[in-house]
Amino acid sequence: MSAPVPRPSGLPPHDVADLGLAEQGALRVEWAEREMPVLRLIRERFERDKPLDGLRLAACLHVTTETANLARTLEAGGAKVALCASNPLSTQDDVAAALVERYGVSVFARHGADRDTYYRHLSAAADTRPHMTMDDGCDLVTMIHQERPDQLDEIVAGTEETTTGVIRLRAMAAEGALRYPVIAVNEALTKHLFDNRYGTGQSTVDGVLRATNHLIAGRHVVVAGYGWCGKGIAARFRGLGAQVAVVEVDQVRALEALMDGHQVMTIGDAAPWGEIFVTATGDIHVIRAEHFKVMRDGAVMCNAGHFDVELDLPALADLAGGRVRTVRPNVQEYDLGDRRLHVLAEGRLVNLSAAEGHPAAVMDMSFANQALSAEWLHEHGTELALGVHDVPEEIDREVARLKLAAMGIVLDPLTPEQAKYMASWEQGT
Ligand SMILES: NC(=O)c1ccc[n+]([C@@H]2O[C@H](COP(=O)([O-])OP(=O)(O)OC[C@H]3O[C@@H](n4cnc5c(N)ncnc54)[C@H](O)[C@@H]3O)[C@@H](O)[C@H]2O)c1
């Protein structure tokens, strides 16, 4: 594979699969934009006010149509963006091409990149000597901390998109290893309540359907992890008529699953019961050898958590003794002799690998939080202590306000009497 090529023709430095896909990519980016009214409003203001002037930003995100609209917004604000992929299977090559060719954004991302290429692309983004990072999963931040400590003083701040990234950042901060402040965009209410729940819920079902074309009605679906993603996944599968069992390690979340109407069982009990398994825990080896051994013939497994470690695939490959074949796009069949088990998208994020990721309408809110957090950090980043910070509450509320306004939904203001009552304590029974 060729190294990133700076093009004299005016194209920014890039390494993408095929610039010839730019036209198709641009059409899809525009299609997504229609569903992203909040981000569009922010872009229009950024175009006028240029609040990010002079900012070099390295972003490690899924290279999708929605991310393209975020990158356009940041560039409209005056930032120079270098984008690399946060997952080798989620890159949409046509979008990468459009970003370079139509929108002048530096992109280093190819669908299906091997591990070396993946990290070479992160390096290429870091080579732009960013003042800010925008990460999804914390790979860019850890790479810079481990391999490029000389750059840490140049970086004012960063943002992080997902739960697993926030967990890693908090671990770094606890060890005193984190060298610049990071805003945890995932923790914004207008992010995880919608993106993790409704976005992952719908797109995970989409990924399973596109990969398998299985009927969901009547099927036994096991969802491991009843966090924000798991709740959405379980609800959407049930909506299609599945019987859902939830596997949890947290008592409160297990109770919540039960009272939401799902069965709750251990992974040991779920293994022979389930027909479709979806992990969304952010944990490692949730489904392991002892579970593969008792699964039904034809069981389908996939993962919606950030990393591809939730299914113990090396153990499954051992059990199959090398009898693994691709039977459909994104479906690998492991032949255990008496039974065949199926793994979707190599255990990577099924919603982004076998489908197109979250619908744009939900990413509108996540990426509005990203754009506004970048603006806030550009102004206030140097005032922040080292560590992981919440999205400022005013940004979170503003995103909700703009989204409702874009949907034409008007709320009741409190009457003066109600406002007074809600702020008082005298009046009781
Ligand atoms: N697919 C996507 O597009 C997408 C979107 C957002 C987040 N994510 C990722 O999905 C994962 C989950 O995110 P979330 O926001 O739901 O997190 P969360 O912290 O809200 O929920 C995770 C749940 O998993 C449970 N859990 C942990 N280990 C377990 C185990 N061994 N067995 C069963 N349950 C276990 C936890 O108790 C918790 O309730 C993270 O890796 C996150 O980064 C993916």
Side-chain angles (χ1 to χ4, degrees):
M1 188 178 300
S2 59
V5 218
R7 287 276 189 93
S9 60
L11 292 185
H14 63 276
D15 183 20
V16 302
D18 181 2
L19 287 177
L21 299 172
E23 171 71 29
Q24 175 192 318
L27 282 172
R28 293 182 56 241
V29 171
E30 284 166 30
W31 177 255
E33 187 200 6
R34 286 175 221 182
E35 291 281 301
M36 305 182 88
V38 178
L39 200 59
R40 195 168 55 240
L41 277 178
I42 295 170
R43 192 171 83 228
E44 285 161 11
R45 177 170 67 75
F46 276 17
E47 255 153 21
R48 283 193 310 274
D49 301 347
K50 299 284 175 206
L52 304 180
D53 238 355
L55 177 72
R56 286 195 302 274
L57 191 148
C60 180
L61 301 170
H62 298 292
V63 180
T64 62
T65 55
E66 297 80 17
T67 300
N69 283 305
L70 172 61
R72 291 172 66 196
T73 304
L74 298 168
E75 292 249 346
K80 274 319 296 168
V81 177
L83 174 65
C84 57
S86 58
N87 184 301
L89 287 189
S90 62
T91 298
Q92 298 170 3
D93 285 329
D94 55 350
V95 171
L99 274 169
V100 173
E101 220 244 1
R102 299 295 160 94
Y103 304 116
V105 179
S106 258
V107 180
F108 307 97
R110 290 165 177 260
H111 184 87
D114 59 21
R115 198 169 186 282
D116 285 351
T117 309
Y118 176 82
Y119 276 101
R120 190 161 55 71
H121 285 159
L122 264 63
S123 280
D127 282 345
T128 60
R129 303 208 78 97
H131 309 115
M132 198 180 286
T133 56
M134 192 172 269
D135 218 345
D136 186 336
C138 198
D139 276 351
L140 182 61
V141 171
T142 46
M143 188 277 282
I144 292 174
H145 276 72
Q146 286 166 341
E147 294 171 23
R148 296 168 172 245
D150 56 305
Q151 282 186 235
L152 289 168
D153 288 341
E154 296 167 10
I155 301 178
V156 175
T159 64
E160 168 55 53
E161 171 76 7
T162 197
T163 317
T164 284
V166 174
I167 289 169
R168 294 177 81 189
L169 285 165
R170 292 209 167 113
M172 287 175 81
E175 274 184 21
L178 184 62
R179 293 269 308 276
Y180 57 85
V182 180
I183 283 189
V185 167
N186 184 70
E187 306 305 274
L189 296 176
T190 47
K191 197 282 186 181
H192 66 262
L193 288 181
F194 306 95
D195 168 318
N196 300 29
R197 183 162 40 172
Y198 303 115
T200 314
Q202 178 170 317
S203 59
T204 296
V205 171
D206 189 11
V208 171
L209 290 179
R210 290 194 204 196
T212 63
N213 196 29
H214 277 354
L215 180 73
I216 303 301
R219 224 166 268 248
H220 290 181
V221 174
V222 176
V223 178
Y226 204 65
W228 294 108
C229 294
K231 290 185 222 299
I233 295 165
R236 293 299 173 254
F237 272 109
R238 193 167 61 179
L240 287 174
Q243 297 182 53
V244 175
V246 166
V247 172
E248 250 297 343
V249 292
D250 178 278
Q251 288 87 346
V252 175
R253 292 234 159 126
L255 265 180
E256 203 183 352
L258 202 63
M259 297 208 187
D260 282 346
H262 307 301
Q263 299 186 56
V264 173
M265 46 177 96
T266 63
I267 186 63
D269 288 340
W273 179 86
E275 295 172 285
I276 297 174
F277 296 80
V278 188
T279 52
T281 67
D283 202 352
I284 191 166
H285 295 171
V286 178
I287 308 186
R288 307 178 288 276
E290 67 252 44
H291 310 126
F292 303 138
K293 283 180 188 164
V294 295
M295 279 182 182
R296 306 175 185 216
D297 181 33
V300 168
M301 288 175 272
C302 64
N303 168 49
H306 189 76
F307 286 118
D308 59 347
V309 295
E310 302 211 14
L311 308 172
D312 186 354
L313 292 182
L316 183 58
D318 271 357
L319 288 174
R323 292 182 304 275
V324 184
R325 58 181 187 143
T326 300
V327 290
R328 284 167 63 90
N330 286 311
V331 185
Q332 287 200 305
E333 180 190 83
Y334 288 74
D335 184 351
L336 305 195
D338 54 342
R339 286 155 312 121
R340 284 169 297 184
L341 303 183
H342 300 119
V343 174
L344 308 187
E346 300 170 21
R348 295 192 187 274
L349 294 162
V350 68
N351 59 323
L352 280 139
S353 305
E356 292 172 68
H358 295 11
V362 83
M363 293 314 292
D364 190 26
M365 289 189 278
S366 307
F367 285 168
N369 275 294
Q370 286 282 12
L372 296 178
S373 294
E375 179 186 29
W376 192 90
L377 284 173
H378 193 41
E379 206 179 324
H380 301 285
T382 50
E383 301 156 23
L384 276 185
L386 292 182
V388 183
H389 299 267
D390 283 344
V391 171
E393 197 189 334
E394 65 270 19
I395 291 182
D396 209 352
R397 295 229 151 254
E398 175 69 356
V399 172
R401 190 186 67 75
L402 290 172
K403 190 71 176 173
L404 283 169
M407 295 161 91
I409 291 168
V410 180
L411 305 187
D412 287 312
L414 290 175
T415 64
E417 182 195 24
Q418 288 167 342
K420 186 164 173 237
Y421 179 79
M422 296 301 282
S424 69
W425 57 271
E426 293 92 345
Q427 198 175 326
T429 312

